[in-house]
Amino acid sequence: MVLSTGLNSHPYSIAIQDLNEDGRVDIAVANYGTKNLVTFLGSGDGIFENQASYGVNFDYAPLMIGAGSFNKDGRSEIIVAYDGIDHVDVLVTYNLGSFDRHMTYSTGSWPRSVAVGDFNNDTRLDIVVANQYDNTVSILLGYGNGFFANQVRYSTGSSPYSVAVGDFNNDTHLDIVVANWNDNTISVLRGYGDGSFADQTIYSTGTSPYSVAVGDFNNDTRLDIVVANYDDNTTSVFLGYGNGSFTNQTTYSTGSGPQSVAIGDFNNDSLLDIVVANYDDNTVSILLGHADGTFANQTTYSTGTWPYSVAVGDFNNDTRLDIVVANLGNKTVSVLLGYGNGSFANQKTYRTGSAPYSVAIGDFNSDNRLDIIVVNWDSNNMSVFLGYGNGFFANQMIYSTGISPSSVAVGDFNNDTHLDIIVADLNQARAHNWEWISTEIVRHWGF
């Protein structure tokens, strides 16, 4: 019986083990040429299913694999050694003999940005996607088991690039805000609490709004909005009245080509601050917040080439917020550790896939340490960096996505206490149930 491992795969090592706990022997093959792992599940009569390549790709060519229950928990693990690399990886199979499980859902044309929230108050997370080419957002209501209803779409302004969620009128129902690139506006869509939304209300921004985030900047318990305006090198701040409406914008200077915006308290004064990734001058801008909702002049820090996306979290467990930036131009992420006074250390960079486009954070392996996930536009995959809890990260693990992934968000979509991932691809929104990642990647050795 001949089993195909794929074109130009150059299979190099093989392991035999019951990978899906059905009492039948299965086969795992490490392919040197395609740098991936494929499995063949056994039927118990000497026949094996066609290969199941579940998106386990490696940065380096695998030289040797072995299989067994290394941690004596009854589950099979696979250990992988690489050509020229001084560490090995251990992956837990967990029941299905697979390493990734994903479902694909239709959206509008060119899904550009994705966010999550409970839009119908059923304690199950839902998804909103901004669709650049048809000027809509798609709402996909979650069933709480990792599956979602078909989309319902709502009109936005022209070329929606970014979406965020919050309760803007204090009615306990989540609302949506969208940054519209072509008409220099944001759209606010108020939620009814049943998963449906009112027609948009429009507010003017600076030129070419690219990214939007939400927070209470003046501590009045009313949510406000900040927008990064690419072409006029500003951020716009809209203070909320608490009834779903907002003041006219106040603008603040940033670096050149602000591409992405995030918020956090960087100087531990209980006031929210702003960080902006500046695509054209390879920096991030830090704008420290005042109690009245205004902001200080920017301070800038160097990043990699063409910073495209920014996120915030405490990566070294010192109660001080840090920053991670996806650098599209030189295939890296930059980690800048915060000192807690609004200033940051110089960046440390980690290699990603090609054209890292969007970054998010979460604890994917339940070790109480924040990890990083980046979707890579040109290589059609995503990079997962497991955190050590001291501000450093393991080398990336690569997992396949759909075509040209543009945005990533994180949430527990099936209520199993494991974080899952939703990725907006060029032609689709793909929901990945990432309980497999949070359990598969046990640790990286050799550090």
Side-chain angles (χ1 to χ4, degrees):
M1 180 179 182
V2 177
L3 301 173
S4 174
T5 56
L7 185 65
N8 297 320
S9 57
H10 304 309
Y12 206 89
S13 180
I14 190 170
I16 306 296
Q17 185 74 14
D18 178 9
L19 300 176
N20 58 348
E21 299 181 20
D22 65 354
R24 301 165 182 170
V25 171
D26 310 308
I27 300 172
V29 181
N31 295 316
Y32 189 97
T34 49
K35 298 180 183 178
N36 70 345
L37 180 73
V38 296
T39 59
F40 302 87
L41 300 182
S43 61
D45 57 359
I47 304 298
F48 293 84
E49 297 179 8
N50 291 333
Q51 64 165 305
S53 180
Y54 292 97
V56 181
N57 297 296
F58 307 112
D59 286 349
Y60 309 99
L63 274 183
M64 189 65 62
I65 63 170
S69 182
F70 302 118
N71 58 2
K72 301 186 184 301
D73 66 351
R75 300 186 178 99
S76 295
E77 290 100 33
I78 293 175
I79 187 167
V80 185
Y82 304 94
D83 187 3
I85 301 301
D86 60 355
H87 74 267
V88 295
D89 290 328
V90 179
L91 301 94
V92 181
T93 57
Y94 266 80
N95 298 330
L96 295 182
S98 64
F99 299 89
D100 180 20
R101 184 176 71 180
H102 60 254
M103 295 74 68
T104 300
Y105 294 89
S106 295
T107 66
S109 180
W110 275 69
R112 188 78 186 197
S113 176
V114 62
V116 300
D118 180 7
F119 300 132
N120 56 350
N121 289 326
D122 63 354
T123 71
R124 302 164 181 173
L125 283 182
D126 311 308
I127 298 168
V128 56
V129 183
N131 304 306
Q132 179 186 349
Y133 277 7
D134 64 8
N135 305 329
T136 65
V137 290
S138 297
I139 306 298
L140 295 87
L141 298 181
Y143 294 125
N145 58 1
F147 292 86
F148 295 83
N150 290 336
Q151 65 171 322
V152 176
R153 281 187 274 180
Y154 296 86
S155 294
T156 67
S158 179
S159 195
Y161 258 50
S162 177
V163 62
V165 300
D167 180 7
F168 301 133
N169 56 350
N170 289 321
D171 64 353
T172 72
H173 306 322
L174 283 182
D175 311 307
I176 296 169
V177 58
V178 183
N180 303 306
W181 169 272
N182 279 348
D183 59 12
N184 304 328
T185 64
I186 56 171
S187 300
V188 175
L189 294 84
R190 299 184 197 175
Y192 291 126
D194 59 0
S196 64
F197 292 83
D199 291 341
Q200 63 179 319
T201 302
I202 298 291
Y203 295 86
S204 294
T205 68
T207 308
S208 303
Y210 206 99
S211 177
V212 62
V214 172
D216 179 7
F217 300 130
N218 55 351
N219 283 343
D220 64 354
T221 71
R222 302 164 181 172
L223 283 183
D224 312 308
I225 296 170
V226 60
V227 183
N229 303 305
Y230 182 87
D231 280 343
D232 64 8
N233 304 329
T234 64
T235 59
S236 298
V237 174
F238 299 83
L239 298 181
Y241 290 123
N243 59 1
S245 62
F246 295 84
T247 64
N248 291 334
Q249 65 176 323
T250 301
T251 59
Y252 299 86
S253 294
T254 66
S256 180
Q259 188 85 21
S260 178
V261 63
I263 59 175
D265 179 7
F266 301 130
N267 58 348
N268 288 324
D269 64 354
S270 299
L271 302 172
L272 286 181
D273 311 308
I274 297 171
V275 57
V276 182
N278 302 305
Y279 182 85
D280 290 339
D281 63 11
N282 305 328
T283 64
V284 289
S285 297
I286 306 297
L287 294 85
L288 298 180
H290 302 311
D292 59 357
T294 63
F295 292 84
N297 291 336
Q298 65 174 324
T299 302
T300 60
Y301 295 86
S302 294
T303 66
T305 307
W306 300 348
Y308 208 85
S309 178
V310 63
V312 172
D314 179 8
F315 301 131
N316 55 351
N317 290 321
D318 63 354
T319 71
R320 303 165 181 171
L321 284 182
D322 312 307
I323 296 169
V324 59
V325 184
N327 303 303
L328 186 146
N330 65 345
K331 304 176 186 177
T332 64
V333 291
S334 298
V335 175
L336 295 85
L337 298 181
Y339 292 125
N341 60 1
S343 64
F344 293 82
N346 291 335
Q347 65 176 321
K348 178 175 176 55
T349 60
Y350 297 85
R351 298 294 296 177
T352 67
S354 183
Y357 216 80
S358 178
V359 62
I361 61 173
D363 179 10
F364 301 124
N365 56 347
S366 299
D367 64 354
N368 297 314
R369 302 165 181 171
L370 284 182
D371 312 308
I372 297 170
I373 183 168
V374 184
V375 291
N376 304 303
W377 173 277
D378 282 347
S379 51
N380 303 328
N381 58 27
M382 60 185 178
S383 303
V384 176
F385 300 86
L386 295 183
Y388 294 126
N390 58 0
F392 292 87
F393 294 84
N395 289 337
Q396 65 177 326
M397 294 286 290
I398 296 288
Y399 296 85
S400 297
T401 66
I403 299 171
S404 300
S406 61
S407 182
V408 61
V410 174
D412 180 8
F413 299 127
N414 57 351
N415 290 321
D416 64 353
T417 73
H418 300 310
L419 283 181
D420 312 310
I421 294 166
I422 177 74
V423 178
D425 301 322
L426 176 65
N427 291 327
Q428 61 213 356
R430 184 181 297 270
H432 298 264
N433 186 329
W434 219 248
E435 61 180 296
W436 309 121
I437 296 306
S438 62
T439 53
E440 279 171 13
I441 306 174
V442 180
R443 61 182 179 274
H444 287 219
W445 295 354
F447 287 85

